[in-house]
């Protein structure tokens, strides 16, 4: 059963190669909206990490590891409360860990929580579910147990042994370093163990390694038995000494101290959380939301309800256009954001509350604002950064309908070139409309690295900082700043030397991109000689031309629905022939073109073709 409420995320989408490449184990990740980790089944607790962010359960020999967040070990327990200890027996639904989602989301890289089967050799198959799940109520995945190989006890004859090895990284052998050690051990047939203070761990098992509770500065010894024992010991020793590295890069020697309010002691640097990587130099542009003015009461409830229905229908059309545009850009993640906004427009509690206000004499605008503001406040009041991000989505959807009701201008503001946008918050639709030619980056005092706005910034390829010191709102328009999405900072009035340093970073990044692009037209072949076909997903003629420019070998998926959507009539055969022919000509005779049959209905409605749901 699912231990947290939230959205299931495939491991492939987790921005950490240790989990994405299944070095720790196989399973799923959850983008959580709750803060109590519940036991997914009846089990025995075999290990609780000292930082409180992870634990392992045993169920008839199957090891289930739950790891809350990414890089959360660096919090050293802050924000986490363990409800169990090693040796405890738990029932499905019992609380295992409670965490402060707001604190953890602000301090760690992500709240994505991994639920993994660590000893996959004992498992025949895993069938994960998808979509939204509720903690303790929904199935997360089904695991079929196979014929697992039991650990072989370590014998003392015919072994290779290392000298004691001091663990250099500060946080010791937590999930990520343990996974690297286990991956190295699995390359050898020899039985490899780690020894510490008279206890031993199977070096192939991430859970076993973590159970040793190896901290930074501790000593361990590597012992191996069987074929290739000496080579195995040498490989593990090299991994422990050289491959683990520090858990985070050391701060520059001259880095200023940061005060409790998120600024350095000079007052020139304001700190937040990196939401989109990269660095840029530009001038501050303060973006403010204007209050919408309207009458609070109305005489005809029927008229107000019709006005609200019409505004919601228009908002649907606008959001569909945004979603289609993103999908045509082969950006399904960003397209899904606006699909979710369409779902918010149909939320029954939102609509029912607005209808109640209207029946009681409120204007459509007042009723709608009260309803969506209450829903957003309810989400934000949970003090969960992910839910706070969804509150921003609710505000975005609400303002869109409100502007349609009162006839206000909902168009994007005119932002001058070389701008760093500063705002209390940005709506996803505002972020999507930013022009990277003019906007070099943005920062907000609200939001988080996991918000929809952060996702959009990464899609646009511009740096962004969330949760920045509110003093940023007081920085004068036109002030020259450095926005660093890697470190989550904004530096005011940089010196010429500081700007030269940033230009050097930008040039180095550009050189890497140029070096990559130099190989764009070469065949994609792995080092061991396997040929890989590289093709694109596209949605129009212009993108077909870009495939050629980028060195693509063709189109693996042309979304034919782009021809049918955002219009009032269906295209005829002649129009389809012209468009498909133009794309084929743009690709040329040597590249493949795969055209998908029409995919509409469901989340892709056509105005001129009613389709039953």
């Amino acid at each position: 059963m699912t231990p947290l409420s939230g959205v299931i995320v495939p491991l492939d989408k987790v921005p950490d190669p240790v989990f994405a490449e299944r070095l720790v184990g196989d399973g799923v990740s959850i983008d959580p909206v709750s803060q109590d980790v519940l036991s997914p089944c009846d089990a025995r607790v075999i290990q609780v990490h000292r930082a409180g962010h992870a634990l392992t359960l045993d169920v008839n020999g199957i090891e289930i590891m739950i790891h809350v967040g990414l890089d959360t070990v660096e919090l050293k327990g802050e924000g986490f409360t363990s409800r169990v200890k090693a040796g405890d027996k738990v029932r499905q639904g019992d609380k295992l860990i409670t965490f402060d989602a707001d604190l953890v989301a602000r301090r760690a890289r992500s709240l994505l929580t991994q639920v993994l089967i660590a000893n996959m050799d004992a498992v025949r198959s895993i069938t994960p579910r998808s979509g939204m799940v509720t903690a303790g109520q929904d199935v997360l995945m089904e695991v079929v147990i196979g014929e697992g190989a039991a650990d072989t006890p370590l014998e003392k004859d015919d072994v290779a042994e290392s000298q004691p090895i001091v663990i250099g990284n500060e946080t010791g052998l937590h999930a990520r370093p343990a996974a690297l050690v286990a991956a190295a051990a699995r390359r050898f047939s020899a039985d490899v163990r780690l020894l510490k203070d008279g206890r031993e761990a199977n070096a192939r098992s991430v859970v076993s390694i973590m159970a040793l509770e190896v901290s930074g500065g501790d000593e361990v010894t590597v012992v191996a038995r069987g074929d290739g024992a000496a080579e195995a010991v040498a490989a593990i020793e090299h991994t422990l000494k050289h491959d683990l590295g520090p858990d985070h890069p050391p701060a520059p020697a001259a880095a200023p101290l940061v005060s409790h309010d998120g600024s350095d002691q000079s007052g020139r640097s304001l700190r937040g959380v990196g939401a989109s990587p990269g660095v840029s130099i530009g001038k501050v542009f303060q973006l403010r939301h204007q209050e919408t003015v309207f009458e609070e009461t109305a005489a005809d409830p029927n008229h107000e309800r019709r006005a609200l229905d019409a505004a919601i229908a228009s908002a649907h059309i606008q959001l569909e256009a945004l979603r289609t545009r993103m999908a045509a850009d082969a950006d399904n993640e960003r397209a899904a954001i606006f699909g979710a906004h369409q779902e918010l427009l149909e939320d029954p509690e939102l609509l029912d509350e607005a209808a109640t206000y209207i029946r009681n004499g409120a204007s459509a605008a007042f009723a709608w604002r009260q309803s969506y503001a209450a829903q957003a406040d309810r989400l934000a009041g949970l003090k969960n950064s992910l839910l706070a991000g969804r509150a921003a989505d609710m505000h975005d959807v609400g303002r869109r309908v409100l502007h349609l009701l009162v006839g206000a201008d909902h168009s994007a503001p005119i932002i001058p070139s070389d701008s760093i946008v500063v705002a209390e918050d940005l709506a996803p639709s505002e972020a999507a409309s930013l022009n990277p030619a003019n906007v070099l980056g943005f920062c907000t005092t609200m939001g988080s690295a996991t918000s929809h706005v952060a996702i959009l910034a990464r899609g646009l390829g511009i740096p962004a900082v969330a949760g920045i010191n509110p003093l940023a709102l007081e920085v004068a328009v036109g002030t020259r700043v450095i926005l660093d999405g890697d470190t989550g900072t904004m530096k005011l009035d940089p010196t010429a030397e500081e700007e030269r340093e940033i230009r050097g970073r930008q040039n180095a990044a550009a050189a890497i991109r140029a070096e990559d692009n130099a190989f764009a037209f070469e065949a994609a072949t792995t080092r061991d000689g396997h040929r890989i076909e590289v093709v694109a997903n596209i949605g129009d003629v212009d993108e077909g031309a870009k495939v050629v420019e980028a060195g693509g070998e063709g189109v693996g998926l042309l979304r034919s629905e782009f021809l049918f959507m955002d219009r009032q009539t269906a295209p005829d055969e002649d129009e389809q022939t012209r468009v498909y022919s133009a794309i084929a000509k743009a690709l040329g005779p040597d590249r493949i073109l795969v055209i998908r049959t029409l995919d509409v209905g469901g989340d892709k409605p056509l105005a001129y073709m009613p389709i039953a749901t």
Side-chain angles (χ1 to χ4, degrees):
M1 307 298 285
T2 183
L4 283 165
S5 297
V7 178
I8 294 177
V9 177
L11 285 185
D12 298 337
K13 302 296 185 182
V14 175
D16 188 319
V18 168
F19 295 119
E21 296 174 14
R22 293 166 172 77
L23 298 181
V24 179
D26 203 354
V28 298
S29 183
I30 302 172
D31 192 354
V33 295
S34 61
Q35 303 181 88
D36 289 318
V37 179
L38 308 183
S39 180
C41 53
D42 296 349
R44 179 175 61 89
V45 181
I46 58 176
Q47 186 260 344
V48 179
H49 196 279
R50 61 185 176 277
H53 70 296
L55 53 73
T56 306
L57 307 173
D58 174 80
V59 186
N60 298 324
I62 301 299
E63 297 170 350
I64 303 174
M65 185 171 117
I66 302 176
H67 189 287
V68 180
L70 302 180
D71 294 343
T72 40
V73 68
E74 296 179 14
L75 298 183
K76 299 179 180 178
E78 187 177 359
F80 291 93
T81 302
S82 297
R83 302 297 187 184
V84 293
K85 62 183 184 301
D88 286 353
K89 292 184 178 180
V90 294
R91 305 283 293 180
Q92 189 266 317
D94 287 351
K95 288 184 182 180
L96 304 176
I97 299 171
T98 299
F99 60 95
D100 183 336
D102 185 56
L103 183 150
V104 174
R106 285 187 286 106
R107 300 279 301 280
R109 183 149 60 110
S110 172
L111 272 178
L112 285 173
T113 295
Q114 288 58 245
V115 183
L116 310 169
I117 306 299
N119 55 336
M120 283 300 296
D121 56 344
V123 170
R124 187 182 309 163
S125 67
I126 294 179
T127 305
R129 299 298 173 89
S130 62
M132 190 79 183
V133 288
T134 301
Q137 297 181 24
D138 296 326
V139 172
L140 181 69
M141 56 187 175
E142 295 178 0
V143 180
V144 178
I145 300 174
E147 298 293 331
D151 283 348
T152 304
L154 182 64
E155 299 178 3
K156 294 300 180 183
D157 56 333
D158 193 22
V159 299
E161 183 173 334
S162 73
Q163 295 296 316
I165 302 165
V166 177
I167 303 302
N169 67 321
E170 180 184 349
T171 50
L173 299 185
H174 58 92
R176 181 179 294 103
L180 295 176
V181 172
R186 291 178 192 133
R187 300 202 308 265
F188 300 92
S189 59
D191 179 29
V192 187
R193 305 289 169 124
L194 299 185
L195 306 182
K196 177 200 170 193
D197 299 335
R199 295 186 297 134
E200 69 177 50
N202 180 354
R204 295 171 180 266
S205 167
V206 173
V207 173
S208 184
I209 295 171
M210 292 175 62
L212 272 184
E213 294 281 273
V214 179
S215 302
D218 286 352
E219 289 187 349
V220 299
T221 302
V222 184
V223 181
R225 174 181 57 80
D227 293 340
E231 291 85 352
V233 167
I236 303 303
E237 184 173 3
H238 184 276
T239 297
L240 291 171
K241 287 182 176 179
H242 304 290
D243 294 344
L244 305 186
D247 285 301
H248 47 79
L257 295 175
V258 178
S259 68
H260 69 279
D261 65 353
S263 60
D264 66 29
Q265 291 181 345
S266 69
R268 292 179 53 237
S269 183
L270 303 178
R271 178 159 297 187
V273 177
S276 179
V279 61
S280 57
I281 305 171
K283 298 177 182 178
V284 166
F285 177 86
Q286 295 283 357
L287 182 62
R288 298 288 185 266
H289 293 122
Q290 301 297 322
E291 286 294 325
T292 305
V293 179
F294 49 79
E295 296 290 334
E296 293 189 7
T297 60
D300 186 350
N302 290 330
H303 177 271
E304 298 303 307
R305 184 57 191 263
R306 287 194 296 271
L308 179 57
D309 289 344
I312 291 174
S314 296
H316 260 296
I317 293 172
Q318 291 180 355
L319 290 170
E320 180 60 27
L322 276 170
R323 194 197 65 76
T324 304
R325 192 185 89 204
M326 297 297 176
D329 289 339
D331 195 335
N332 291 331
E333 187 175 28
R334 290 198 287 164
I337 292 171
F338 297 106
H341 281 202
Q342 289 177 299
E343 294 294 329
L344 288 178
L345 284 176
E346 299 174 1
D347 183 88
E349 290 190 8
L350 179 69
L351 299 176
D352 289 348
E353 189 169 354
T356 300
Y357 274 108
I358 290 174
R359 283 196 301 270
N360 292 333
S363 68
F366 179 80
W368 177 254
R369 189 188 67 179
Q370 294 299 101
S371 181
Y372 83 72
Q375 292 284 1
D377 290 345
R378 194 171 300 143
L379 291 173
L382 294 176
K383 296 183 178 180
N384 177 308
S385 69
L386 290 177
L387 291 176
R390 305 311 175 256
D393 291 329
M394 181 62 77
H395 278 296
D396 190 9
V397 170
R399 283 196 295 263
R400 179 180 297 278
V401 174
L402 191 60
H403 291 160
L404 288 165
L405 278 168
V406 301
D409 183 10
H410 194 66
S411 60
I414 299 175
I415 300 177
S417 60
D418 297 329
S419 288
I420 302 294
V421 172
V422 179
E424 183 178 8
D425 198 12
L426 274 180
S429 58
E430 290 174 321
S433 67
L434 295 178
N435 182 0
N438 290 345
V439 178
L440 304 181
F442 66 79
C443 62
T444 60
T445 60
M446 298 176 65
S448 72
T450 58
S451 69
H452 283 163
V453 171
I455 293 172
L456 290 163
R458 293 191 287 270
L460 291 169
I462 59 176
V465 176
I468 200 165
N469 187 322
L471 290 175
L473 299 174
E474 301 175 15
V475 177
V477 172
T479 300
R480 197 163 178 82
V481 297
I482 294 173
L483 187 74
D484 194 331
D486 298 321
T487 62
T489 58
M490 183 171 72
K491 181 166 289 187
L492 313 183
D493 297 316
T495 65
E497 182 179 352
E498 288 169 335
E499 289 202 21
R500 280 195 297 271
E501 179 185 348
I502 296 305
R503 298 295 184 199
R505 283 175 58 184
Q506 292 174 327
N507 291 337
I512 292 173
R513 288 195 298 272
E515 185 178 354
D516 290 342
N517 289 335
F519 294 94
F521 294 92
E522 295 190 10
T525 306
T526 63
R527 291 180 178 178
D528 57 352
H530 290 280
R531 180 76 169 83
I532 307 296
E533 182 182 75
V534 180
V535 293
N537 290 358
I538 70 169
D540 57 30
V541 177
D542 291 340
E543 288 186 343
K546 291 178 182 177
V547 172
V548 178
E549 297 170 4
E553 298 173 52
V555 170
L557 173 63
L558 169 61
R559 295 181 172 85
S560 58
E561 59 267 27
F562 83 93
L563 263 175
F564 292 77
M565 300 180 71
D566 199 23
R567 57 191 294 165
Q568 297 303 311
T569 59
D572 59 22
E573 290 185 13
D574 289 340
E575 181 181 355
Q576 294 179 62
T577 300
R578 286 195 302 272
V579 172
Y580 297 153
S581 297
I583 293 174
K585 290 177 182 177
L587 292 174
D590 298 326
R591 295 178 179 84
I592 67 168
L593 170 60
V594 178
I595 302 175
R596 178 166 70 184
T597 51
L598 186 59
D599 176 22
V600 293
D603 64 339
K604 300 173 185 175
L606 298 180
Y608 50 86
M609 185 185 296
I611 301 174
T613 58

